[in-house]
Amino acid sequence: MNKVSRVGLAVAALLLAVSGAPVAAQSFCASDGVPRPVALLERFVNADCEACWSDPQTPAAQRGELALDWIVPGARGEDAPLSAVAVREGLARLEALRRSPPPGAQAARQRPARGAHRLRVAHGLPFNGYLGASIELKPGSGGPWQAWLLLVESLPIGAEGSPVARNLVRNVLQVAWSEDRTLSKEERARRFESRAMSIPEGASPDRLRVVGWVEDGRGRIRAIAESRCAAPASKG
């Protein structure tokens, strides 16, 4: 099977999750029914700083918060102890927050601005190294919007000596949605993007899920969502 076929099947799995259609004897993951996070906690660790991963002073997520963990490339490149899980998009995220890459670790918290926008994220089943994922904003009017859709690996407390549970960023999709004055009626009702995201080597597929948020033109977060997996469909 060629790469195009693999990607096509991954996207097909995504469409089942987006539509809510049952997947026989399997599960799908979406943000449907999941409480909206009240804030976003982003923890950044320089790939050069191995000790930062196990630092007991690492800030933990508070009640209702969604925590994300970015490993940003360090000066040692591929020789850095955490280089295997570093993502270059972490540098773009720091730039968006108007922050410089830390020599060790740093954290940032944001609460979403008030608004009536609803965000949905979803993903299908892993297939041949890919995971189909989507992000959807309703209503789609307003903007411009910057959407972030992240594939994360959820790790429990104690993983590799971590003092906190982590959502390690493994892949990133950024989508820019323009202002609404030139949009169709359907686009005003919702903005939607779906992609097949590659699963990095070493990631555990059963720990993967997606999280996302949308920012307005001023960089303020307007909506946050995270997926949770539904139980497999009953045969009875």
Side-chain angles (χ1 to χ4, degrees):
M1 181 179 294
N2 60 34
K3 182 177 180 180
V4 173
S5 298
R6 292 198 303 268
V7 173
L9 285 171
V11 173
L14 158 71
L15 294 178
L16 287 174
V18 170
S19 66
V23 181
Q26 296 291 341
S27 63
F28 70 91
C29 296
S31 57
D32 304 329
V34 179
R36 298 182 185 182
V38 300
L40 181 65
L41 168 64
E42 296 178 85
R43 299 179 291 225
F44 298 88
V45 173
N46 190 304
D48 292 343
C49 185
E50 185 174 15
C52 293
W53 179 267
S54 55
D55 184 355
Q57 300 302 314
T58 299
Q62 302 301 311
R63 183 180 180 87
E65 287 185 338
L66 170 62
L68 297 176
D69 295 275
W70 300 84
I71 309 299
V72 298
R76 296 170 60 185
E78 294 184 359
D79 293 329
L82 301 180
S83 65
V85 290
V87 289
R88 295 203 62 83
E89 292 86 353
L91 298 174
R93 182 58 188 157
L94 283 167
E95 183 177 355
L97 293 171
R98 297 180 175 84
R99 294 185 175 222
S100 300
Q106 66 174 246
R109 273 189 171 95
Q110 286 191 79
R111 289 184 174 271
R114 292 184 179 181
H117 289 86
R118 302 185 305 279
L119 189 67
R120 182 183 192 265
V121 296
H123 69 77
L125 304 174
F127 186 85
N128 279 6
Y130 287 89
L131 196 74
S134 72
I135 185 166
E136 177 182 17
L137 178 69
K138 292 183 177 180
S141 58
W145 304 114
Q146 180 72 38
W148 294 75
L149 180 62
L150 276 53
L151 180 65
V152 302
E153 185 174 6
S154 295
L155 304 174
I157 295 176
E160 301 298 326
S162 174
V164 295
R166 295 187 184 270
N167 289 305
L168 182 63
V169 178
R170 301 296 255 152
N171 206 339
V172 181
L173 172 64
Q174 288 180 258
V175 181
W177 288 321
S178 61
E179 293 184 73
D180 63 356
R181 58 177 175 269
T182 61
L183 299 181
S184 66
K185 183 177 180 180
E186 180 181 357
E187 288 173 321
R188 289 173 184 268
R190 72 163 189 162
R191 304 291 185 97
F192 178 82
E193 186 74 27
S194 64
R195 298 283 180 86
M197 303 180 77
S198 62
I199 300 173
E201 183 178 354
S204 178
D206 60 347
R207 289 180 170 177
L208 295 176
R209 62 193 186 104
V210 291
V211 303
W213 68 91
V214 172
E215 300 172 352
D216 61 22
R218 296 170 58 186
R220 299 177 303 174
I221 293 178
R222 300 302 295 269
I224 311 173
E226 58 180 320
S227 70
R228 294 283 169 82
C229 292
S234 173
K235 295 183 179 180

